[in-house]
Amino acid sequence: MLTLRTANRVLKVLKTTQICKQPFHRWLAPTLRELKRRKDSLGPDKPVHRKTFLEWNYDTEIYAFSKRLGEEFNNDLLQQALTERSYIIREEERQKNVGIEQPTLNLSDNKELVSKGSDFIDDVVKRYLRTVLPRLPEEGIIGIHKYLTSIETLSHVSFHIGTSELILCAEFPVEKLTLSNVLKSITAALVESSGDSRAALFVRDFIITQIADKDLHQFWEPEEPIKLLSEILARDGIQSPEPRLIGSSGKNTILACFRVGLYTPHNKQMIGLGFGETVDIAHEMAARDSLRKLFGTSDNILLPFNLRLDQLCESNVKNLFVNEWSQQILPTRPMHYELRMAKEICSN
């Protein structure tokens, strides 16, 4: 039951908003439902570019983009990096359609910047991986590099730093290949604007960090690990390891689990441990565990993402390939302070 004070407040609100003076008509609700039904039958709206908005200012958006990244770009280079050849072709056709026989556009496409940026990203990624993973065979470096420089990864990074609304191209939504190429051209523009060191930090922070939450073994797994382990140990003068069944549970059931360890014949030390639903699978997993320890890619590996360009190895330095890998001929490289700290944390 409303009190007198509450009733007065309700009447005051009604008078203020003038709801009582503007009653809803009977036809309003059915009309709104019908309009919604018709809109739903047409399907979702097509995405539109932000340049169609009234408050769009391309120069301001480019300036804000560089500030969001915390980088200093040459505005002309940045605009060129965001301009695709398809956009220039489309604009020239539009001018021809309105009667301009020789259309002129003061724009340059990013084809050259894409090539330069691609080479720079490839170089920095490989140098970083070879620095932090000096024991990993070159096949593993190539596998991780392939993932980091793939169209899927580069387009993911490009989209999430906000390039999709700034790219000048013929299609919208922007295709993944275009997003990937624009990220490469932006990197090249940063190289020419701020230098190699600053651009290398950009590649490190936005591209290389994409492996932070990934399992490195998904990018490269050696085939026939048991045979490969025996060949590697033979190069170091060590006999083939002996597998031993050191535990099992649930035999003759669908939940069977076997634990196999690999031991060196000369000093009887365990070099690998594996689990599996059969003894053969456990033996193979133990061999993979041994290889990961040899290659320095154990499960608790911690990669340092604070290395600078001057702390990376040279471009001409390569890791050993798996068919020649041996601990006796591993290259000795100077380990920087950040990398040493990461190794100590992993070991502890």
Side-chain angles (χ1 to χ4, degrees):
M1 186 174 183
L2 294 176
T3 62
L4 181 60
R5 178 179 297 179
T6 304
N8 290 334
R9 288 181 177 177
V10 172
L11 290 175
K12 185 177 180 180
V13 172
L14 291 175
K15 291 179 180 179
T16 303
T17 57
Q18 297 182 354
I19 294 179
C20 57
K21 295 182 181 180
Q22 298 178 0
F24 291 102
H25 297 281
R26 289 185 176 181
W27 52 263
L28 180 59
T31 302
L32 293 177
R33 284 195 294 266
E34 178 62 19
L35 291 176
K36 184 178 184 306
R37 186 190 66 80
R38 294 183 181 183
K39 182 179 180 181
D40 294 341
S41 64
L42 295 176
D45 296 335
K46 295 182 179 180
V48 295
H49 199 283
R50 284 189 61 193
K51 66 182 179 181
T52 59
F53 296 176
L54 294 177
E55 68 277 10
W56 176 257
N57 188 319
Y58 191 67
D59 294 334
T60 303
E61 293 292 338
I62 289 181
Y63 176 81
F65 173 75
S66 62
K67 294 305 177 183
R68 285 197 303 270
L69 295 181
E71 305 291 351
E72 294 294 334
F73 287 95
N74 181 296
N75 290 335
D76 295 335
L77 283 176
L78 182 56
Q79 184 173 357
Q80 180 182 353
L82 294 168
T83 304
E84 286 284 317
R85 180 60 186 170
S86 60
Y87 175 80
I88 298 177
I89 295 175
R90 188 185 66 179
E91 292 301 315
E92 290 178 348
E93 291 178 351
R94 285 183 178 180
Q95 292 188 15
K96 290 181 180 179
N97 293 334
V98 296
I100 302 176
E101 297 181 357
Q102 296 182 350
T104 56
L105 293 174
N106 190 21
L107 292 174
S108 301
D109 62 84
N110 60 359
K111 183 178 180 180
E112 184 178 354
L113 291 177
V114 170
S115 178
K116 292 181 180 179
S118 179
D119 294 339
F120 184 81
I121 292 175
D122 289 345
D123 181 64
V124 173
V125 170
K126 287 182 179 179
R127 290 174 61 184
Y128 173 85
L129 294 175
R130 290 166 181 163
T131 301
V132 301
L133 299 171
R135 301 174 64 89
L136 183 65
E138 189 66 18
E139 288 85 349
I141 300 295
I142 295 174
I144 302 175
H145 168 267
K146 184 178 180 180
Y147 167 76
L148 289 176
T149 57
S150 64
I151 295 177
E152 191 71 26
T153 301
L154 295 182
S155 63
H156 172 80
V157 174
S158 180
F159 177 82
H160 284 87
I161 63 175
T163 61
S164 60
E165 300 289 351
L166 300 175
I167 297 175
L168 299 178
C169 60
E171 75 278 354
F172 189 84
V174 185
E175 297 179 354
K176 290 185 177 181
L177 178 60
T178 303
L179 288 170
S180 173
N181 289 338
V182 167
L183 183 63
K184 296 176 182 178
S185 61
I186 289 176
T187 304
L190 185 58
V191 170
E192 298 187 13
S193 301
S194 302
D196 293 353
S197 299
R198 191 67 190 179
L201 297 180
F202 176 84
V203 174
R204 181 199 67 184
D205 295 339
F206 289 100
I207 299 178
I208 297 179
T209 53
Q210 297 302 309
I211 60 173
D213 59 342
K214 301 294 189 301
D215 181 11
L216 299 182
H217 308 112
Q218 67 179 316
F219 306 121
W220 177 73
E221 280 284 3
E223 300 179 357
E224 300 182 354
I226 300 175
K227 179 181 178 182
L228 177 60
L229 177 62
S230 299
E231 294 176 353
I232 290 177
L233 294 179
R235 298 189 192 109
D236 295 331
I238 303 175
Q239 297 180 1
S240 299
E242 298 176 353
R244 296 182 186 177
L245 182 63
I246 58 179
S248 62
S249 63
K251 292 183 179 180
N252 301 323
T253 68
I254 60 174
L255 299 178
C257 180
F258 298 90
R259 181 170 59 177
V260 173
L262 292 180
Y263 295 83
T264 55
H266 62 287
N267 55 9
K268 306 300 180 182
Q269 290 185 354
M270 180 186 290
I271 61 174
L273 181 64
F275 299 83
E277 55 268 26
T278 64
V279 176
D280 293 337
I281 294 177
H283 184 192
E284 180 179 342
M285 296 306 296
R288 293 188 183 278
D289 182 56
S290 301
L291 291 174
R292 292 172 182 177
K293 292 179 180 178
L294 289 175
F295 298 156
T297 58
S298 55
D299 294 334
N300 61 346
I301 186 173
L302 180 62
L303 299 178
F305 292 109
N306 56 352
L307 298 182
R308 301 182 303 274
L309 182 63
D310 59 343
Q311 295 176 314
L312 304 181
C313 63
E314 298 298 329
S315 302
N316 57 355
V317 175
K318 292 185 178 181
N319 288 9
L320 295 176
F321 287 91
V322 70
N323 59 357
E324 60 182 5
W325 199 95
S326 174
Q327 297 188 80
Q328 297 179 355
I329 60 175
L330 276 176
T332 57
R333 302 174 190 168
M335 187 177 296
H336 298 284
Y337 173 76
E338 293 85 352
L339 188 54
R340 290 199 304 269
M341 292 297 296
K343 298 291 185 181
E344 292 176 3
I345 293 175
C346 293
S347 61
N348 294 334

